[in-house]
Amino acid sequence: MQKEECFYLGKVVSKYSFKGEVLVKIDTDEPEIYENMESVFVSIGNNLVPFFIDRCRLHKSTLLRIDFEEVKDESAADRILGTELYLPLTMLPKLSGDKFYFHEVIGFTLLDKAHGDIGIIQSINDSSSQVLFEAKKGDKELLIPVTDEIITKVDKEAKTIHVTTPEGLVDLYLN
């Protein structure tokens, strides 16, 4: 399994018990749907290694307490401390309406209400407090905020996202 075929689930943040249990901070709005997993992929070096789960349960809202089959003592837990966990993209819950996962909209065309086609989404920048579409129009790069106020329609079949950008934003990039 390659990372491109998976989504980031979370990170092993601490040991929980001397029996090798670990706590995983998961990156989701619905942690309860991952409570009864049977396995995950653990990123070790440049590889995704399957780890099977004996027991997995929610611990304090966004943490999962996981007892892996392969991790039965503190030293084994130390070896996976800080590692990232992944699941296959096929396990992502389906989203309805205008909701989307960031990886789904790469390559979509941004259509602005005033300017028309303003570029193709190259990536999503979610490393700052404001998530941004990084789009390209010719040799120009545009940064468009990903907010409910700006996104007016998502057409997954036509691979377009309709936006109404604040006055002057697109002009900063294209003129």
Side-chain angles (χ1 to χ4, degrees), residues 46-89:
N46 289 330
N47 299 311
L48 289 183
V49 180
F51 272 59
F52 295 92
I53 297 172
D54 278 337
R55 191 161 180 217
C56 177
R57 56 207 168 281
L58 211 51
H59 181 84
K60 296 184 181 174
S61 69
T62 62
L63 293 173
L64 281 180
R65 180 175 156 191
I66 300 179
D67 180 9
F68 287 110
E69 283 181 12
E70 301 89 343
V71 181
K72 292 302 176 194
D73 58 39
E74 283 189 80
S75 64
D78 282 335
R79 287 193 290 276
I80 64 166
L81 209 53
T83 58
E84 296 177 342
L85 305 185
Y86 292 85
L87 287 172
L89 287 172

Side-chain angles (χ1 to χ4, degrees), residues 7-13 22-37 40 53 56-66 83-87:
F7 68 95
Y8 173 78
L9 177 64
K11 185 176 188 172
V12 178
V13 293
V22 294
L23 292 178
V24 175
K25 176 144 179 54
I26 57 175
D27 182 28
T28 180
D29 295 333
E30 300 176 45
E32 62 280 353
I33 66 176
Y34 299 104
E35 248 184 306
N36 296 305
M37 296 183 298
V40 294
I53 297 172
C56 177
R57 56 207 168 281
L58 211 51
H59 181 84
K60 296 184 181 174
S61 69
T62 62
L63 293 173
L64 281 180
R65 180 175 156 191
I66 300 179
T83 58
E84 296 177 342
L85 305 185
Y86 292 85
L87 287 172

Side-chain angles (χ1 to χ4, degrees), residues 126-139:
D126 63 351
S127 60
S128 63
S129 59
Q130 174 63 63
V131 178
L132 300 166
F133 287 128
E134 293 181 350
K136 194 162 188 134
K137 176 76 172 178
D139 62 346

